[in-house]
Amino acid sequence: MHELSLCENIVASIEEAALKEHFNAVVVVHLGIGKLSCVEPEALRFCFDTAIQGTIAESTQLVIEIFPGLAQCNHCGANLEIENYYDACSHCESFDLKILGGEQMQIESLEVM
Amino acid sequence: MCTVCGCEDKHGHPDSVAGNGALAVDKSVSRTLTLEKNILEKNNVYASQNRSFCYSKQILSLNFVSSPGAGKTSLLVDTINSLKSDFSINVIEGDQHTSNDADKIRATGASAVQINTGKGCHLEAHSVGHAIKDLQPAQQSLLFIENVGNLVCPAEFDLGELAKVLILSVTEGEDKPLKYPHMFRAASLLIINKIDLLPYVDFDMAQCVRFARQVNPSIDVICLSVKTREGVLPWFEWMTTQQTKMNREPD
Ligand SMILES: Nc1nc2c(ncn2[C@@H]2O[C@H](COP(=O)(O)OP(=O)(O)OP(=O)(O)O)[C@@H](O)[C@H]2O)c(=O)[nH]1
Ligand SMILES: [Mg+2]
Ligand SMILES: [Zn+2]
Ligand SMILES: [Zn+2]
């Protein structure tokens, strides 16, 4: 459900860009999704097909690039890649991590005509 | 025209641009437009409007999230009854259906607006902005937003609140922080409610707090029972601290 709402937001952003940039069709939408964001790429794909019906983005191809979760341990200073917020530092087991990346849910670019 | 968003009172904005399925697609003439824009940017823009409005009037706005039945409305009713002689209090109630919760709030004398999300499982900043406009909250008042009972999506939708308050009741199990990490990550305060029921359930309080801090090292934790009122004082003190912080360091 929440993925459908995200897709409606994506379509709204595309429609807004269409008014500003004067394009008639969108060939590809590029998204950047961080591993730590709460977006499930497969659910997003599923909802996207429904959300684009009857809009300027109809029959657009969806390309999703996944970014890893990056963190620095506040305890031992190590830089790590994590899968979840509850992961521990792989060096010292501390849970006190500073998140450095992988939380994004972005529309990176559009290929339009 | 609607002054929250300029949307001529029809809320499916922006105006739909008609789809053009008939257009022949020739990839050789396509161009790339860089957007680099958060997927929820539209929501976030409305959220910032709500936030700056609240800051400008020094209104303490809190977004209450929990699974269904953890005690959001009960805590709000108790809080309003305890504080209504000192503060003007407004409440925005989000539920898929019914105005039951708004009715309970109005019975305390506080003003409330009910937003029915229908099939939607979370509140969004745009409708909250309209509700704020309807309520016209006063300078230095309290604004409580009760989100739809759901530990998933409300984590992702900023409403413009100063902080999210997550209520977990002891009947739900101590493992919830690990099962719903995004919500525990997004919250500033965890209220563990219904501690009057601790003798009857196997709820490991210390473990629950450990799990919560594993997901969110800086989360505050208060354990209380709305029913017996044990532990409610630290909750009121927590709100006072937030008000002081807000007035010291504006956005
Ligand atoms: N024993 C006990 N019951 C409580 C306590 N707080 C709330 N309840 C009961 O829990 C039930 C649900 O409380 P609500 O306040 O309606 O919960 P809610 O989170 O607002 O529920 P929704 O809005 O439907 O998601 C009610 O029957 C309350 O009386 C408590 O501290 N102890
Ligand atoms: Mg309720
Ligand atoms: Zn470490
Ligand atoms: Zn939702």
Side-chain angles (χ1 to χ4, degrees), chain A residues 25-89:
Chain A
V26 188
V27 190
V28 187
V29 179
H30 291 273
L31 301 184
I33 303 294
K35 268 252 168 81
L36 298 175
S37 78
C38 74
V39 180
E40 191 52 62
E42 278 325 300
L44 195 71
R45 266 182 205 293
F46 181 77
C47 297
F48 190 72
D49 293 335
T50 314
I52 59 179
Q53 300 288 323
T55 75
I56 188 171
E58 187 147 12
S59 73
T60 297
Q61 191 196 341
L62 184 64
V63 176
I64 303 179
E65 188 182 351
I66 308 289
F67 291 90
L70 300 176
Q72 184 174 43
C73 176
N74 284 327
H75 188 69
C76 75
N79 282 306
L80 339 146
E81 211 172 283
I82 56 171
E83 296 285 317
N84 296 292
Y85 282 128
Y86 48 77
D87 287 348
C89 170

Side-chain angles (χ1 to χ4, degrees), chain B residues 1-208:
Chain B
M1 188 171 87
C2 141
T3 53
V4 175
C5 48
C7 63
E8 301 286 356
D9 287 328
K10 59 176 163 62
H11 289 133
H13 46 88
D15 288 349
S16 259
V17 177
N20 205 340
L23 200 88
V25 173
D26 175 0
K27 292 206 182 199
S28 63
V29 300
S30 72
R31 63 191 159 109
T32 302
L33 264 183
T34 306
L35 286 190
E36 290 179 352
K37 183 167 169 179
N38 190 302
I39 292 178
L40 286 180
E41 183 174 276
K42 293 201 83 60
N43 183 72
N44 293 346
V45 168
Y46 291 125
S48 335
Q49 286 176 9
N50 298 345
R51 185 167 287 117
S52 11
F53 172 82
C54 289
Y55 264 111
S56 72
K57 298 203 132 196
Q58 296 177 316
I59 295 166
L60 178 69
S61 60
L62 299 175
N63 179 0
F64 290 78
V65 294
S66 80
S67 54
K72 299 180 293 300
T73 309
S74 308
L75 181 68
L76 288 180
V77 167
D78 182 273
T79 304
I80 295 166
N81 284 329
S82 307
L83 302 182
K84 65 184 175 191
S85 51
D86 300 321
F87 293 97
S88 155
I89 306 176
N90 291 282
V91 179
I92 298 171
E93 281 290 340
D95 283 293
Q96 290 198 320
H97 296 276
T98 81
S99 62
N100 294 355
D101 285 359
D103 296 342
K104 286 181 195 160
I105 299 294
R106 287 190 196 110
T108 67
S111 305
V113 165
Q114 178 80 50
I115 299 174
N116 283 133
T117 57
K119 295 193 178 87
C121 38
H122 56 269
L123 286 174
E124 297 197 9
H126 177 241
S127 48
V128 167
H130 279 284
I132 293 176
K133 196 170 158 268
D134 292 344
L135 288 165
Q136 306 225 347
Q139 190 87 17
Q140 292 184 329
S141 58
L142 306 179
L143 175 65
F144 298 146
I145 305 167
E146 179 177 339
N147 218 313
V148 180
N150 173 358
L151 282 179
V152 186
C153 335
E156 210 62 14
F157 291 82
D158 183 8
L159 304 180
E161 70 277 354
L162 185 92
K164 286 189 181 69
V165 175
L166 197 169
I167 303 179
L168 180 73
S169 55
V170 299
T171 53
E172 296 172 65
E174 68 275 341
D175 59 352
K176 291 302 163 291
L178 298 188
K179 288 188 173 169
Y180 301 96
H182 289 100
M183 189 60 96
F184 284 80
R185 181 84 192 177
S188 304
L189 171 65
L190 167 62
I191 291 183
I192 301 180
N193 184 30
K194 309 195 190 180
I195 56 171
D196 58 290
L197 298 179
L198 277 174
Y200 313 103
V201 289
D202 296 324
F203 181 84
D204 186 336
M205 182 72 78
Q207 184 65 278
C208 182

